[in-house]
Amino acid sequence: MEAYEVMIERCKSLKLRYHDLEQELMSPALLANQREYAKVAKEQATLRQIVEAYEDLEGLNHHMREASEMMKEEDVEIKAMAQTEFEELTTKQEALIAHLHLLLIPKDPNDDHNAIVEIRGAAGGDEGNIFAGDLYRMYVRYCEVNGYKVETLEASEAEMGGYTLISFLVKGNEAYKHFKFESGAHRVQRVPKTETQGRIHTSTATVLVMPDIEEAESDINPADLTIETHRSSGAGGQHVNKTDSAVRITHVPTGINVNCQDGRSQHDNKATAMRLIRARVFEYMEEKALAEKGKLRMEKVGTGDRSEKIRTYNYPQNRVTDHRIGLTLQQLDRIVEGKLDDVINALLDEEQRQKLAGNA
């Protein structure tokens, strides 16, 4: 069977599945089970673009058949008009087929989630923490430019500036898709503010990006969670240390725990802690499943491992290098101001190229 026919058969199958899911979503039994309803609704949403494009192709093919019949007319003028229309439709058909091929490439099921981004100062002491703050500012600027909303979840400010840890939620269309390749070690080469002799230092900060898992999507058993409250510690305002507003949640089977105290109330801190525990347990389970299969996610683009050096920011030479794809840009001044599109689009293009080649 030719590639076009294979594609059409797959589209027909997915269209049937789409309409089956549509009927399923109206089932009273499913409406009563919010977790299952969310899964079915998500599957249907992922098929919508494919079904709409396929229906457009069906309509286009119908018009092409009509134009082809008109080309058989004896009237010269009608034949010429039909020929012109057929050629225009052929061009549209080719573009639509190419678009459908791309839509049919397997997608990361987490791409349409919001993203939780966690940045920590690493090697380099104070300078590593300052660089973590610079990365945070870069990502916030990128979000502002691209219409994403940012909500701080945790923040531990460092004495000399920046953060020992900051985590934040990025809300918006396909946020995780655009942030997921930021996971790993980011290296900076520059003269620190604390350097008196003008020597260039190398420091690092680590980034971890996780999909924001909704409660309905989470497989965490509430019985596996230990939830404790305690008094907040450190700077944070008049409410700190007066009430047991801080919340610590531990996922007993994995030992993963989170501690949140920056919210204005115990309710806020618990909501944030639950969001983080869902994301961290999900990330842990995904990595474990991939390890068991002996398959690393995006081997050439990057594994997402926090210890993997993914990018270098060289200030003296105004240069940014992404080591996974061999991309070097003499635009560090623009990139640190949030103009990350060239880097992120190059990573997404590489992901697509690997999927087209069957490598991911």
Side-chain angles (χ1 to χ4, degrees):
M1 194 180 287
E2 293 182 7
Y4 175 75
E5 292 174 338
V6 170
M7 184 194 78
I8 293 299
E9 287 303 313
R10 189 170 175 209
C11 286
K12 286 179 180 177
S13 174
L14 292 175
K15 184 177 178 179
L16 287 172
R17 176 63 179 161
Y18 178 83
H19 290 301
D20 285 345
L21 292 169
E22 202 167 42
Q23 292 300 312
E24 202 175 328
L25 286 169
M26 292 187 281
S27 160
L30 190 66
L31 286 167
N33 187 333
Q34 285 302 302
R35 180 172 294 183
E36 287 305 310
Y37 183 89
K39 288 180 180 178
V40 173
K42 183 180 177 183
E43 183 184 351
Q44 194 210 28
T46 61
L47 296 177
R48 187 171 293 121
Q49 268 190 300
I50 296 170
V51 171
E52 289 175 353
Y54 173 57
E55 288 176 344
D56 288 344
L57 182 61
E58 285 182 308
L60 202 61
N61 288 342
H62 175 71
H63 291 310
M64 287 180 73
R65 285 192 294 270
E66 289 182 334
S68 182
E69 286 299 314
M70 290 174 65
M71 285 162 61
K72 297 173 184 177
E73 295 284 336
E74 291 184 7
D75 188 301
V76 176
E77 200 170 315
I78 291 176
K79 285 180 72 171
M81 286 175 59
Q83 178 70 38
T84 301
E85 184 182 5
F86 188 83
E87 289 172 359
E88 290 175 354
L89 290 171
T90 299
T91 302
K92 290 180 180 178
Q93 183 198 49
E94 289 171 354
L96 195 48
I97 289 171
H99 178 56
L100 259 173
H101 274 300
L102 291 178
L103 290 176
L104 289 168
I105 296 171
K107 291 181 180 172
D108 183 334
N110 299 314
D111 276 353
D112 60 350
H113 282 71
N114 293 329
I116 292 176
V117 184
E118 182 183 281
I119 309 171
R120 294 177 184 270
D126 292 334
E127 176 63 6
N129 295 333
I130 292 168
F131 180 49
D134 294 339
L135 289 176
Y136 170 65
R137 179 175 174 274
M138 176 182 78
Y139 291 137
V140 170
R141 292 288 179 90
Y142 173 76
C143 290
E144 289 170 351
V145 170
N146 288 278
Y148 292 118
K149 292 183 179 180
V150 175
E151 180 184 318
T152 303
L153 301 176
E154 291 180 283
S156 297
E157 294 184 9
E159 190 176 340
M160 299 298 291
Y163 299 92
T164 56
L165 162 68
I166 182 160
S167 65
F168 56 98
L169 175 69
V170 181
K171 292 182 177 179
N173 185 41
E174 296 187 327
Y176 181 73
K177 175 181 178 179
H178 290 87
F179 272 86
K180 63 184 176 182
F181 295 125
E182 295 305 296
S183 286
H186 293 241
R187 181 174 70 172
V188 63
Q189 295 173 326
R190 64 184 177 189
V191 179
K193 294 175 183 177
T194 53
E195 170 58 52
T196 56
Q197 297 180 31
R199 291 174 298 188
I200 295 172
H201 289 226
T202 298
S203 305
T204 61
T206 62
V207 177
L208 178 63
V209 181
M210 301 169 285
D212 179 33
I213 304 301
E214 295 295 332
E215 186 176 356
E217 300 173 283
S218 175
D219 291 326
I220 293 177
N221 183 344
D224 289 336
L225 298 177
T226 299
I227 302 175
E228 304 167 282
T229 59
H230 60 95
R231 294 196 175 188
S232 303
S233 59
Q238 294 181 358
H239 66 291
V240 169
N241 289 329
K242 291 187 177 179
T243 60
D244 290 345
S245 61
V247 176
R248 181 185 297 110
I249 300 179
T250 303
H251 182 246
V252 177
T254 61
I256 294 169
N257 68 82
V258 297
N259 185 60
C260 294
Q261 63 177 32
D262 294 334
R264 298 297 301 179
S265 68
Q266 186 183 116
H267 180 269
D268 288 347
N269 285 325
K270 184 178 178 182
T272 300
M274 284 300 300
R275 180 167 239 145
L276 288 169
I277 204 79
R278 286 197 299 267
R280 290 178 184 171
V281 170
F282 178 84
E283 185 75 6
Y284 173 85
M285 294 301 184
E286 280 238 308
E287 292 299 329
K288 185 178 178 183
L290 289 170
E292 287 172 356
K293 291 177 184 175
K295 177 184 175 185
L296 288 173
R297 178 176 54 193
M298 295 304 297
E299 286 181 347
K300 293 180 182 175
V301 174
T303 63
D305 191 316
R306 205 189 275 245
S307 64
E308 179 192 14
K309 182 185 71 180
I310 63 165
R311 197 175 298 150
T312 296
Y313 304 73
N314 185 298
Y315 276 74
Q317 296 178 27
N318 194 38
R319 185 181 73 226
V320 173
T321 300
D322 195 288
H323 304 289
R324 297 163 294 182
I325 54 175
L327 176 69
T328 296
L329 299 170
Q330 303 292 146
Q331 301 175 16
L332 182 142
D333 52 341
R334 293 180 70 255
I335 288 168
V336 295
E337 287 300 320
K339 295 179 175 64
L340 274 163
D341 288 316
D342 288 346
V343 179
I344 288 173
N345 289 338
L347 289 161
L348 289 171
D349 286 347
E350 176 63 13
E351 177 190 39
Q352 188 175 92
R353 188 193 68 76
Q354 288 187 30
K355 286 181 175 178
L356 281 168
N359 294 334

Coordinates of all heavy atoms in Angstrom, one line a residue, residues 155-183:
A155 N 10.3 29.8 46.7 CA 11.5 30.6 46.4 C 12.3 30.7 47.7 O 11.8 31.1 48.8 CB 11.0 32.0 46.0
S156 N 13.6 30.4 47.5 CA 14.6 30.6 48.6 C 15.7 31.5 48.1 O 16.5 31.1 47.3 CB 15.2 29.2 49.0 OG 14.2 28.4 49.5
E157 N 15.6 32.8 48.5 CA 16.5 33.8 48.0 C 17.9 33.6 48.7 O 18.0 33.2 49.8 CB 16.0 35.2 48.3 CG 14.8 35.5 47.6 CD 14.3 37.0 47.8 OE1 15.1 37.7 48.5 OE2 13.2 37.3 47.4
A158 N 18.9 33.8 47.9 CA 20.3 33.7 48.3 C 20.8 35.0 48.9 O 20.4 36.1 48.5 CB 21.2 33.2 47.2
E159 N 21.7 34.9 49.9 CA 22.2 36.1 50.6 C 22.8 37.1 49.6 O 22.6 38.3 49.8 CB 23.2 35.7 51.7 CG 23.6 36.8 52.6 CD 24.5 36.3 53.7 OE1 24.6 35.1 54.0 OE2 25.2 37.2 54.3
M160 N 23.6 36.6 48.6 CA 24.3 37.5 47.7 C 23.5 37.8 46.5 O 24.0 38.5 45.5 CB 25.7 36.9 47.4 CG 26.6 36.7 48.5 SD 27.1 38.2 49.4 CE 28.1 39.0 48.1
G161 N 22.3 37.4 46.4 CA 21.5 37.6 45.2 C 21.1 36.3 44.5 O 21.8 35.3 44.7
G162 N 20.0 36.4 43.8 CA 19.6 35.1 43.1 C 18.9 34.2 44.0 O 18.3 34.6 45.0
Y163 N 18.9 32.9 43.7 CA 18.1 31.9 44.5 C 18.9 30.6 44.6 O 19.6 30.2 43.7 CB 16.8 31.6 43.7 CG 15.9 32.7 43.5 CD1 16.0 33.5 42.3 CD2 15.0 33.1 44.5 CE1 15.1 34.5 42.1 CE2 14.1 34.1 44.3 CZ 14.2 34.9 43.1 OH 13.3 35.9 42.9
T164 N 18.8 30.1 45.8 CA 19.3 28.7 46.0 C 18.3 27.7 45.3 O 18.6 26.7 44.8 CB 19.5 28.3 47.5 OG1 18.2 28.5 48.2 CG2 20.6 29.2 48.1
L165 N 17.0 28.2 45.4 CA 15.9 27.4 44.7 C 14.8 28.3 44.4 O 14.4 29.1 45.2 CB 15.4 26.3 45.7 CG 14.0 25.7 45.3 CD1 14.1 24.9 44.0 CD2 13.5 24.8 46.5
I166 N 14.3 28.2 43.2 CA 13.0 28.9 42.8 C 12.2 27.9 41.9 O 12.8 27.4 41.0 CB 13.2 30.3 42.2 CG1 11.8 30.9 42.0 CG2 14.0 30.2 40.9 CD1 11.8 32.4 41.8
S167 N 11.0 27.7 42.2 CA 10.1 26.9 41.3 C 8.9 27.8 41.0 O 8.4 28.5 41.8 CB 9.8 25.6 41.9 OG 9.0 25.8 43.1
F168 N 8.4 27.6 39.7 CA 7.3 28.4 39.3 C 6.5 27.7 38.3 O 7.0 26.7 37.6 CB 7.8 29.8 38.7 CG 8.7 29.7 37.6 CD1 8.3 29.8 36.3 CD2 10.1 29.5 37.9 CE1 9.3 29.7 35.2 CE2 11.0 29.4 36.8 CZ 10.6 29.5 35.5
L169 N 5.2 28.0 38.2 CA 4.3 27.4 37.3 C 4.1 28.3 36.0 O 4.0 29.5 36.2 CB 2.9 27.3 38.0 CG 1.7 26.8 37.1 CD1 2.0 25.3 36.7 CD2 0.4 26.9 37.9
V170 N 4.2 27.7 34.9 CA 4.0 28.4 33.6 C 2.7 28.0 33.0 O 2.5 26.8 32.7 CB 5.1 28.1 32.6 CG1 4.9 28.9 31.3 CG2 6.5 28.5 33.2
K171 N 1.7 28.9 32.9 CA 0.4 28.6 32.4 C 0.2 29.1 31.0 O 0.6 30.3 30.7 CB -0.7 29.2 33.3 CG -0.8 28.6 34.7 CD -1.9 29.3 35.4 CE -2.2 28.7 36.8 NZ -3.3 29.4 37.5
G172 N -0.3 28.3 30.1 CA -0.6 28.7 28.8 C -0.6 27.6 27.8 O -0.2 26.5 28.1
N173 N -0.9 27.9 26.5 CA -1.0 26.9 25.5 C 0.3 26.2 25.2 O 1.3 26.8 24.9 CB -1.5 27.5 24.2 CG -1.8 26.5 23.1 OD1 -2.3 25.5 23.3 ND2 -1.3 26.9 21.9
E174 N 0.3 24.9 25.5 CA 1.5 24.0 25.2 C 2.8 24.6 26.0 O 3.9 24.6 25.4 CB 1.8 23.9 23.7 CG 0.7 23.2 22.9 CD 1.1 22.9 21.5 OE1 1.8 23.8 20.9 OE2 0.6 21.9 21.0
A175 N 2.6 25.0 27.2 CA 3.7 25.5 28.0 C 4.8 24.4 28.2 O 6.0 24.7 28.0 CB 3.2 26.0 29.3
Y176 N 4.4 23.2 28.5 CA 5.4 22.2 28.7 C 6.2 21.9 27.4 O 7.4 21.7 27.5 CB 4.7 20.9 29.2 CG 5.7 19.8 29.5 CD1 6.6 19.8 30.6 CD2 5.8 18.7 28.6 CE1 7.5 18.8 30.8 CE2 6.7 17.7 28.9 CZ 7.6 17.7 29.9 OH 8.5 16.7 30.2
K177 N 5.5 21.9 26.3 CA 6.1 21.6 25.0 C 7.3 22.6 24.8 O 8.3 22.2 24.3 CB 5.1 21.8 23.9 CG 5.7 21.6 22.5 CD 4.7 21.8 21.4 CE 5.3 21.7 20.0 NZ 4.2 21.8 19.0
H178 N 7.1 23.9 25.2 CA 8.1 24.9 24.9 C 9.2 25.0 26.0 O 10.2 25.7 25.8 CB 7.4 26.2 24.7 CG 6.6 26.3 23.4 ND1 5.3 25.9 23.3 CD2 7.0 26.7 22.2 CE1 4.9 26.0 22.0 NE2 5.9 26.5 21.3
F179 N 8.9 24.3 27.1 CA 9.9 24.4 28.2 C 10.7 23.1 28.5 O 11.7 23.1 29.1 CB 9.2 24.9 29.5 CG 9.2 26.4 29.7 CD1 8.2 27.1 29.2 CD2 10.2 27.0 30.4 CE1 8.1 28.5 29.3 CE2 10.2 28.4 30.6 CZ 9.1 29.1 30.0
K180 N 10.1 22.0 28.0 CA 10.6 20.7 28.4 C 12.1 20.4 28.1 O 12.7 19.7 28.9 CB 9.8 19.6 27.7 CG 9.9 19.5 26.2 CD 8.9 18.4 25.7 CE 8.9 18.3 24.2 NZ 7.9 17.3 23.7
F181 N 12.7 21.0 27.1 CA 14.1 20.8 26.8 C 15.0 21.7 27.6 O 16.2 21.7 27.4 CB 14.3 20.9 25.3 CG 13.6 19.9 24.5 CD1 12.8 20.3 23.5 CD2 13.8 18.6 24.8 CE1 12.1 19.3 22.7 CE2 13.1 17.6 24.0 CZ 12.3 18.0 23.0
E182 N 14.5 22.4 28.6 CA 15.3 23.3 29.4 C 15.9 22.5 30.6 O 16.8 23.0 31.3 CB 14.5 24.5 29.9 CG 14.1 25.5 28.9 CD 15.3 25.9 28.0 OE1 16.1 26.6 28.6 OE2 15.3 25.6 26.8
S183 N 15.4 21.3 30.8 CA 15.9 20.5 31.9 C 17.4 20.1 31.7 O 17.8 19.6 30.6 CB 15.1 19.2 32.1 OG 13.8 19.4 32.6

